[in-house]
């Protein structure tokens, strides 16, 4: 993807790297960690995020091969640049034992089927619902925020064995979830194109 990087972003990354050494991370992990930190101005994400480079490599290939990208809320979708996304929240309805966010995940799964990249940054119930489905995701970016259910839903994601990006704490949100996806979207397809 050809992308013009604004001088403010260049300077932000320079300052980030001056305060935190990220050079020990593998390439895609480093890209995700740095972009998430950049989106939140929170250096603690360097030790809070959990991901596997092999999972990221497969997801990167799937993303650049056209895998659908599904988001839990439109705020996450708005943060994902240069890529169409699926968000079914407007069509969803809550019901007994089912939040609107969870219903939206069901609707999206019916639409996209297996192999999608799921980006959840708002609702722990959306992540919980995804884990009940046979979604066979290329990747789940599970970074919902909150004091109720966020930590537990992310722990359940890690325990599921699905390829994932998550974090241990209550932190998260739409901006960091979309940043994690953008890191994969912006990263060069061929290693020879990699830039610092």
């Amino acid at each position: 993807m050809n992308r013009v990087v604004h001088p403010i972003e260049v300077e932000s990354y320079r300052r980030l790297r001056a305060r935190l050494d990220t050079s020990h991370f593998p390439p895609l992990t480093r890209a995700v960690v740095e972009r998430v930190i950049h989106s939140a101005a929170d250096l603690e994400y360097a030790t809070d995020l959990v991901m596997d480079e092999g999972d990221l490599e497969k997801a990167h290939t799937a993303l650049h091969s056209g895998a659908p990208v599904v988001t839990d809320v439109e705020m996450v979708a708005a943060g994902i640049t240069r890529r169409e996304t699926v968000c079914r929240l407007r069509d969803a309805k809550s019901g007994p034992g089912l939040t609107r966010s969870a219903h939206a995940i069901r609707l999206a799964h019916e639409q996209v089927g297996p192999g999608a990249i799921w980006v959840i940054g708002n609702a722990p119930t959306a992540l919980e619902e995804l884990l009940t489905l046979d979604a066979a995701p290329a990747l789940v970016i599970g970074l919902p925020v909150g004091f109720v259910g966020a930590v537990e839903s992310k722990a359940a994601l890690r325990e599921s064995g699905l390829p994932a990006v998550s974090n241990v704490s209550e932190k998260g949100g739409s901006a960091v979830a979309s940043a994690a996806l953008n890191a994969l979207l912006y990263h060069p397809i061929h290693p020879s194109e990699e830039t610092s």
Side-chain angles (χ1 to χ4, degrees):
M1 158 179 278
N2 292 329
R3 179 173 168 263
V4 177
V5 180
H6 194 279
I8 291 172
E9 183 177 334
V10 172
E11 177 61 14
S12 292
Y13 270 76
R14 187 194 68 74
R15 292 184 187 192
L16 184 162
R17 290 171 179 161
R19 293 176 63 184
L20 178 71
D21 181 9
T22 59
S23 63
H24 63 284
F25 289 117
L28 289 169
T29 300
R30 181 182 187 193
V32 171
V33 167
E34 288 185 344
R35 189 145 298 273
V36 166
I37 289 171
H38 176 259
S39 73
D42 186 344
L43 298 174
E44 290 180 3
Y45 275 110
T47 56
D48 192 40
L49 287 164
V50 179
M51 67 198 92
D52 175 78
E53 185 73 6
D55 289 343
L56 295 180
E57 289 170 358
K58 291 174 188 166
H60 183 263
T61 299
L63 179 65
H64 289 278
S65 297
V69 176
V70 182
T71 68
D72 62 332
V73 293
E74 292 184 24
M75 285 296 290
V76 174
I80 296 171
T81 55
R82 301 182 182 191
R83 186 61 186 264
E84 293 296 318
T85 61
V86 173
C87 179
R88 296 296 303 273
L89 192 60
R90 287 184 186 208
D91 306 317
K93 297 185 177 12
S94 61
L98 185 71
T99 66
R100 193 167 157 237
S101 295
H103 186 226
I105 294 299
R106 284 186 191 177
L107 294 174
H109 178 253
E110 290 169 5
Q111 179 178 339
V112 302
I117 296 174
W118 297 79
V119 189
I120 298 174
N122 184 66
T125 59
L127 182 52
E128 291 165 1
E129 183 64 25
L130 179 60
L131 295 177
T132 70
L133 302 173
D134 187 20
L139 184 70
V140 178
I141 297 174
L143 296 168
V145 61
F147 294 115
V148 178
V151 168
E152 296 83 357
S153 67
K154 291 180 276 194
L157 172 59
R158 290 189 297 278
E159 291 165 10
S160 74
L162 293 175
V165 174
S166 70
N167 69 308
V168 176
S169 74
E170 296 160 331
K171 296 188 297 190
S174 298
V176 298
S178 59
L181 189 282
N182 285 337
L184 298 177
L185 190 59
Y186 299 161
H187 200 274
I189 295 173
H190 303 291
S192 61
E193 298 173 22
E194 189 170 336
T195 58
S196 58

